[in-house]
Amino acid sequence: AHTTCVVWATGPGPLFQLKRLDMTLTDHGFQRTQLLKNLASVVQMASDVWSLTVTEDNNQVPGGDTTYWCKVVRLDERLSRKHHIVKFEPVITQGNEPLVHHMELFHCEGPADKEFPLYRGPCDSEDRPEDIKVCKKVLAAWAMGATPFYFPQEAGLPVGGEGYNLYAMLEVHYNNPELREDWIDSSGLRVYVSPTLRQHDAGVIELGLEYIDKMAIPPGQPHFPLSGYCISECTGVSIPPEGITVFGSQLHTHLTGIRVMTRHIRDGRELPELNRDNHYSTHFQEIRLLKRAVKVLPGDALITTCLYNTTGRPNITLGGFAITDEMCVNYIYYYPKTSLEVCKSAISDQSLQTYFRQVHEWERQPTSPHMGISDNYRAIDWNPVRASVLHELYLQSPIYMQCNQSSGERYPGDWTSVPVTPVLYPLPPSPRICD
């Protein structure tokens, strides 16, 4: 069920051996795919399904290497009646496939009569209105390489209805390493909705690491792991007693991610993994319909681990939004919908500041309490021993939790310095079947 890279070629036969085959003389190509795909991933849609498309409008993309561009829109008035999203797909401007890294469509939470400014511009601009900070509930998401996503027959993502605010925000991540200033883009997302409601309202939860610089990967590492936790205390206050059923998963890192997995823990015992890709590629980030739906109960923990290869990088790689920064995320699709939107973590502030102080006092590294986190990380002269110590620090330190509702508010509790959920009985390695 992992990503497979297929190299193909056609030409006059017969072909007796592959040795010394010159593929430049043939019609050839390269394709990433999931060979053992869930064949039930395409679902027949009802006749009353209609689509709405939200795209940029001939946007002049800035010349920086990373741009997050936001556009607020008012949705179709037909959504004053509740619908279910049953499918979504990308709309990419022809020729801009290398530019558009990922896109998300967010609902703006608020009273039905509240009007949001129709902002269009950089998501991090000082001119961005404060009001649209509530536009953060995911309606649809796409990343490079993904194909159209169909919800299973029994569930759809709820949109519209009485008291529903009709404003949404499209966010597009542009990756422009050549710093070109001549990109014009009208990419976006097309969402298919049905007034015929399915059995369950679906939802999306973000698992993994916060998008901040507290977690980092030293240079020269062939497979450095980082883990983000959705601890049992968070699921205990947010998931209903009957649990939720996870049916889809989208793994996400940036350029140095090579493997991603999400482990499932219940009462200290590890259950079968929720999802794993041992050959992950940032260029192939499709949402995958799981072959086996996973039941998550209150008190369960989900641990998302990403492995990174930084052997070609001269200095530390920090967590963040830029394509040269890193992320570790699993967007899980589930039903029935709850208010839990984000369940992610990072090392606690106190543990990190203690580490910077100790590496200064014991190893004479030029870190300082007067410097920011990023500057402290960059000040360290990284070697294999220091990289190993940092790895152990991440494993043993308490964490800061984001246990957030779709409104952006945290669930009640102290999430500032909490222990990770212990794994007392790990899952044994799967036997290799290669007779």
Side-chain angles (χ1 to χ4, degrees):
H2 311 291
T3 297
T4 300
C5 299
V6 177
V7 180
W8 58 269
T10 62
L15 178 64
F16 297 105
Q17 63 178 6
L18 296 178
K19 188 176 182 180
R20 297 197 180 107
L21 175 64
D22 186 354
M23 292 184 59
T24 62
L25 302 178
T26 67
D27 183 14
H28 65 281
F30 172 87
Q31 179 64 50
R32 294 180 180 89
T33 187
Q34 182 192 16
L35 291 178
L36 301 179
K37 188 183 291 289
N38 186 345
L39 297 179
S41 59
V42 177
V43 176
Q44 188 69 32
M45 295 191 296
S47 59
D48 58 1
V49 169
W50 55 277
S51 67
L52 59 93
T53 304
V54 181
T55 63
E56 298 294 345
D57 301 310
N58 293 317
N59 180 26
Q60 178 77 49
V61 179
D65 63 348
T66 298
T67 298
Y68 283 81
W69 196 267
C70 287
K71 177 186 176 183
V72 178
V73 299
R74 183 174 172 86
L75 301 177
D76 195 295
E77 293 295 334
R78 284 177 284 180
L79 292 179
S80 57
R81 173 186 174 187
K82 182 178 178 180
H83 287 62
H84 269 163
I85 296 175
V86 295
K87 172 189 173 183
F88 54 79
E89 63 187 7
V91 179
I92 308 293
T93 299
Q94 186 174 0
N96 286 10
E97 291 80 4
L99 173 70
V100 182
H101 184 266
H102 71 260
M103 301 180 287
E104 292 182 272
L105 183 64
F106 298 99
H107 177 236
C108 301
E109 299 277 318
D113 58 353
K114 178 174 176 58
E115 299 203 1
F116 288 90
L118 299 179
Y119 175 74
R120 180 172 175 263
C123 300
D124 58 355
S125 171
E126 294 181 356
D127 296 330
R128 173 177 168 167
E130 283 289 318
D131 284 3
I132 66 174
K133 286 187 175 180
V134 300
C135 304
K136 57 178 61 178
K137 183 171 182 57
V138 177
L139 295 177
W142 173 91
M144 187 178 291
T147 53
F149 180 73
Y150 294 78
F151 284 82
Q153 198 67 58
E154 68 271 19
L157 198 75
V159 59
E162 185 178 353
Y164 190 86
N165 190 284
L166 291 179
Y167 285 86
M169 183 180 76
L170 175 68
E171 179 184 282
V172 181
H173 174 192
Y174 295 117
N175 176 33
N176 183 18
E178 297 175 344
L179 308 181
R180 286 175 49 181
E181 298 182 348
D182 58 348
W183 288 109
I184 304 296
D185 186 66
S186 296
S187 299
L189 290 164
R190 180 172 294 121
V191 177
Y192 295 81
V193 298
S194 172
T196 303
L197 302 182
R198 295 179 172 181
Q199 181 181 359
H200 298 289
D201 284 349
V204 183
I205 300 174
E206 288 186 41
L207 307 176
L209 288 169
E210 291 188 76
Y211 305 140
I212 54 176
D213 58 359
K214 291 202 295 184
M215 309 296 284
I217 309 117
Q221 302 299 303
H223 40 70
F224 190 89
L226 291 178
S227 293
Y229 297 86
C230 180
I231 59 176
S232 57
E233 289 84 351
C234 183
T235 63
V237 298
S238 61
I239 291 179
E242 65 274 15
I244 59 173
T245 299
V246 180
F247 60 83
S249 167
Q250 182 184 29
L251 308 175
H252 178 72
T253 77
H254 283 174
L255 299 178
T256 66
I258 57 173
R259 180 178 298 175
V260 188
M261 69 205 77
T262 294
R263 302 163 67 196
H264 184 190
I265 315 300
R266 179 175 298 158
D267 298 327
R269 184 177 299 276
E270 184 173 4
L271 304 178
E273 292 173 338
L274 191 148
N275 194 10
R276 168 187 284 262
D277 193 335
N278 283 343
H279 312 295
Y280 174 84
S281 169
T282 189
H283 304 293
F284 188 62
Q285 302 187 43
E286 61 180 358
I287 305 172
R288 293 180 178 172
L289 201 63
L290 302 181
K291 293 183 178 180
R292 175 188 60 87
V294 177
K295 177 71 78 171
V296 177
L297 299 178
D300 287 2
L302 298 168
I303 305 172
T304 300
T305 300
C306 299
L307 270 67
Y308 303 91
N309 183 337
T310 59
T311 53
R313 295 203 170 184
N315 205 340
I316 194 140
T317 299
L318 302 171
F321 288 95
I323 191 66
T324 51
D325 296 334
E326 266 305 344
M327 294 184 175
C328 181
V329 188
N330 185 359
Y331 299 93
I332 58 171
Y333 291 72
Y334 72 97
Y335 62 79
K337 176 182 173 294
T338 72
S339 295
L340 180 61
E341 186 86 6
V342 176
C343 193
K344 300 195 294 190
S345 72
I347 186 172
S348 71
D349 293 336
Q350 183 178 358
S351 297
L352 194 56
Q353 292 305 321
T354 299
Y355 168 75
F356 288 142
R357 186 183 73 249
Q358 290 175 344
V359 80
H360 173 74
E361 294 175 352
W362 298 350
E363 300 194 44
R364 297 294 184 261
Q365 295 298 298
T367 53
S368 167
H370 305 295
M371 294 164 55
I373 292 174
S374 297
D375 290 336
N376 272 320
Y377 271 128
R378 294 189 181 107
I380 297 172
D381 182 13
W382 292 100
N383 59 34
V385 173
R386 291 188 182 118
S388 179
V389 170
L390 182 66
H391 171 53
E392 290 299 318
L393 174 78
Y394 290 153
L395 288 178
Q396 299 176 15
S397 296
I399 57 174
Y400 174 86
M401 274 296 304
Q402 280 191 330
C403 184
N404 294 2
Q405 304 176 56
S406 54
S407 64
E409 297 180 358
R410 279 179 170 77
Y411 280 90
D414 182 5
W415 307 107
T416 55
S417 184
V418 293
V420 300
T421 303
V423 183
L424 305 177
Y425 305 101
L427 197 67
S430 300
R432 296 192 64 182
I433 304 174
C434 44
D435 296 332

